[in-house]
Amino acid sequence: MELTALYECFLACGEVTTDSRRCPQGSMFIALKGANFDGNAFAEDALKQGCRYAVVDDSRYAGTDNPNILYVNDCLSALQGLANMHRKRLNTRMIGITGTNGKTTTKELIAAVLSKKYKVLYTQGNLNNAIGVPLTLLRLTPEHEIAVIEMGASHPGDIKELVEIAEPDYGIITNVGKAHLEGFGSFEGVIRTKGELYDYLRTKDNATVFIQNENAYLNRIAGGLNCIRYGQTPGLFVSGELVSCSPYLNFRWTVEGTSYDVNTQLIGSYNLDNLLAAAAIGVYFGVEPAQVSEALGDYVPHNNRSQLTVTPHNRLIVDAYNANPTSMMAALDNFRRIEAPHKMAILGAMKELGDASREEHQKVVDYLSRCHFERVCLVGEEFAALTHPFEQYKDVKEVEAMLSETKPEHCLILIKGSNSMKLSQLQDYL
């Protein structure tokens, strides 16, 4: 089936699903394939469960007399093509966001601020890859006035692929750091890949990006773009400063000579730039500064990102969704600055670092030796391969067993590690 004809079928449905276990009545099922599954095999099931159409790319499942099974050459390409066509048809103003750290939190802060004035579509969770971005775009309706689309990457070319689907009008790279080095090959590979957002925007007339003014790496690759600057330097479009962070981040931001104080519900001084980015974008799009401050103060983090959790026994700083050398050191630096009588760190290994893994884990161990936390627990084989004086555990199960025997009391505890380490489940033991 041609893409234009498929798009007409999509318009008749208004909703797409790729999960045969979740089939809203009248939706379109698109059969994707993965390493351990083939969605084509579930096309008939999707129709029985309520889908109006099922799109397949395997002729074995297309050779039926059912007119509601639609055959295409490649389902993923069809999904992406539908999304791009839908984006062009609605022509919604679109902000593309990427970066090594903070992009999900920044995306949610931007959406919270813009929602004070506009009907906003934004990426849910971390649906920021070659499947998630199209699924987000296909949720666009004529009522949406602005979209905030998060774009993730783990290999060169990933951002290029996503911007060609989403075609953003504006862009923001939160930062560049040492993450997914196994896929990118080097830190320079990270910079080049994130910079693919800037490369795309240069193809547009007077393209605008929002840029952290003090970030030398981003300034180096932002030539030829209209830069709206935010940061901690006075006189920028939006500038700001940290007021306190024990543990919640309180900050002051300034626009056009007027300052506003905001008490947030975020943990971590590293979130200051994320907050200033959202403020800059809100002001740029005409949100009143008082409303910007209100949105930033009301935002509550979730999904184990910069959260403070209070249990009957301890206070927990849970930042266990992901970890890379940049975010790990930022979290430790922030934790070190917080005043608390008893501090404990439970740190999981950082994944996908390739040849740099041993060196980067050694840097964490070396830094911990200078922090003098009351107790440190390291989890994973990457830490176990090093010589260090801290408690060492093979995996989260070993930590759970230890905590069941010797539960800490009256501590401020940082929980940080790659999502695959599953440290977030330790909350039930603390």
Side-chain angles (χ1 to χ4, degrees):
M1 173 173 280
E2 293 294 326
L3 187 62
T4 52
L6 187 65
Y7 184 67
E8 292 303 316
C9 293
F10 161 73
L11 291 178
C13 298
E15 185 174 359
V16 160
T17 180
T18 59
D19 186 348
S20 62
R21 298 164 299 182
R22 191 194 70 82
C23 294
Q25 193 67 34
S27 61
M28 173 183 279
F29 172 73
I30 298 183
L32 300 180
K33 293 188 287 288
N36 301 307
F37 68 92
D38 183 352
N40 287 279
F42 301 98
E44 290 279 3
D45 290 342
L47 293 175
K48 291 175 182 176
Q49 292 181 57
C51 288
R52 182 169 183 173
Y53 294 108
V55 182
V56 300
D57 57 9
D58 187 328
S59 58
R60 291 176 298 173
Y61 299 95
T64 70
D65 295 329
N66 192 332
N68 290 5
I69 294 183
L70 312 176
Y71 179 67
V72 297
N73 290 329
D74 182 88
C75 279
L76 178 58
S77 295
L79 173 68
Q80 295 171 343
L82 283 177
N84 180 253
M85 185 172 288
H86 192 54
R87 182 267 179 276
K88 288 178 176 176
R89 178 74 64 93
L90 294 182
N91 199 31
T92 309
R93 286 183 292 179
M94 195 152 302
I95 302 168
I97 177 169
T98 189
T100 301
N101 300 306
K103 58 183 174 292
T104 298
T105 298
T106 305
K107 172 256 302 183
E108 295 194 352
L109 290 169
I110 293 168
V113 168
L114 292 177
S115 293
K116 290 292 185 179
K117 183 173 182 177
Y118 301 100
K119 177 72 171 177
V120 181
L121 174 77
Y122 62 98
T123 303
Q124 297 298 301
N126 66 328
L127 292 175
N128 60 14
N129 61 12
I131 297 171
V133 168
L135 289 174
T136 300
L137 293 172
L138 288 170
R139 290 175 43 233
L140 278 169
T141 69
E143 286 72 36
H144 289 118
E145 299 169 284
I146 296 181
V148 185
I149 306 299
E150 180 182 337
M151 302 175 184
S154 55
H155 296 86
D158 284 353
I159 298 300
K160 182 177 186 295
E161 177 185 26
L162 298 178
V163 294
E164 289 176 352
I165 298 168
E167 300 190 14
D169 305 294
Y170 308 87
I172 175 172
I173 303 174
T174 56
N175 51 48
V176 287
K178 296 179 179 179
H180 301 294
L181 295 180
E182 193 170 34
F184 289 122
S186 66
F187 180 45
E188 282 297 321
V190 176
I191 297 172
R192 285 193 299 272
T193 302
K194 302 302 183 182
E196 289 167 1
L197 174 57
Y198 286 177
D199 294 339
Y200 171 79
L201 289 169
R202 283 192 193 90
T203 68
K204 295 198 159 195
D205 293 334
N206 301 314
T208 295
V209 299
F210 303 91
I211 186 168
Q212 206 284 332
N213 185 68
E214 291 83 39
N215 191 306
Y217 300 113
L218 296 181
N219 278 287
R220 191 181 86 196
I221 62 174
L225 294 165
N226 177 35
C227 295
I228 304 299
R229 297 184 176 276
Y230 63 90
Q232 298 179 51
T233 304
L236 302 175
F237 181 74
V238 161
S239 60
E241 60 181 328
L242 183 69
V243 175
S244 64
C245 199
S246 288
Y248 288 118
L249 190 161
N250 301 323
F251 77 109
R252 179 176 299 115
W253 67 284
T254 303
V255 59
E256 295 182 341
T258 302
S259 296
Y260 303 84
D261 285 1
V262 182
N263 298 328
T264 81
Q265 299 176 67
L266 285 165
I267 302 294
S269 56
Y270 47 84
N271 275 307
L272 177 60
D273 285 338
N274 303 335
L275 291 155
L276 294 176
I281 290 174
V283 171
Y284 181 86
F285 283 99
V287 181
E288 291 296 325
Q291 291 184 302
V292 170
S293 294
E294 182 180 42
L296 298 178
D298 288 345
Y299 172 74
V300 179
H302 55 280
N303 292 334
N304 300 313
R305 299 174 189 271
S306 301
Q307 287 177 254
L308 178 68
T309 300
V310 179
T311 75
H313 309 281
N314 302 284
R315 291 187 301 158
L316 315 178
I317 296 177
V318 185
D319 194 5
Y321 183 81
N322 215 339
N324 56 61
T326 307
S327 67
M328 180 68 82
M329 295 304 285
L332 286 173
D333 181 65
N334 179 76
F335 191 57
R336 186 180 186 181
R337 295 168 187 265
I338 297 174
E339 293 184 8
H342 306 287
K343 290 198 283 190
M344 175 181 180
I346 304 176
L347 307 180
M350 304 173 289
K351 300 297 185 178
E352 299 181 48
L353 294 180
D355 293 339
S357 181
R358 184 180 182 88
E359 176 186 356
E360 296 299 339
H361 283 87
Q362 184 65 56
K363 289 178 181 177
V364 172
V365 167
D366 293 343
Y367 186 78
L368 284 167
S369 297
R370 302 193 297 272
C371 290
H372 307 295
F373 299 143
E374 190 169 290
R375 190 174 176 189
V376 174
C377 302
L378 302 180
V379 189
E381 61 184 15
E382 291 84 351
F383 284 121
L386 306 174
T387 300
H388 61 75
F390 308 113
E391 297 177 42
Q392 177 66 51
Y393 299 90
K394 176 184 176 182
D395 52 29
V396 70
K397 293 296 184 185
E398 284 196 0
V399 183
E400 290 172 351
M402 176 273 291
L403 293 175
S404 296
E405 295 289 330
T406 59
K407 179 177 291 187
E409 297 278 351
H410 312 299
C411 289
L412 179 65
I413 303 173
L414 171 66
I415 302 174
K416 175 75 175 173
S418 288
N419 192 39
S420 61
M421 299 302 296
K422 301 180 180 178
L423 297 190
S424 60
Q425 66 195 48
L426 294 176
Q427 296 176 72
D428 294 338
Y429 295 82
L430 294 166

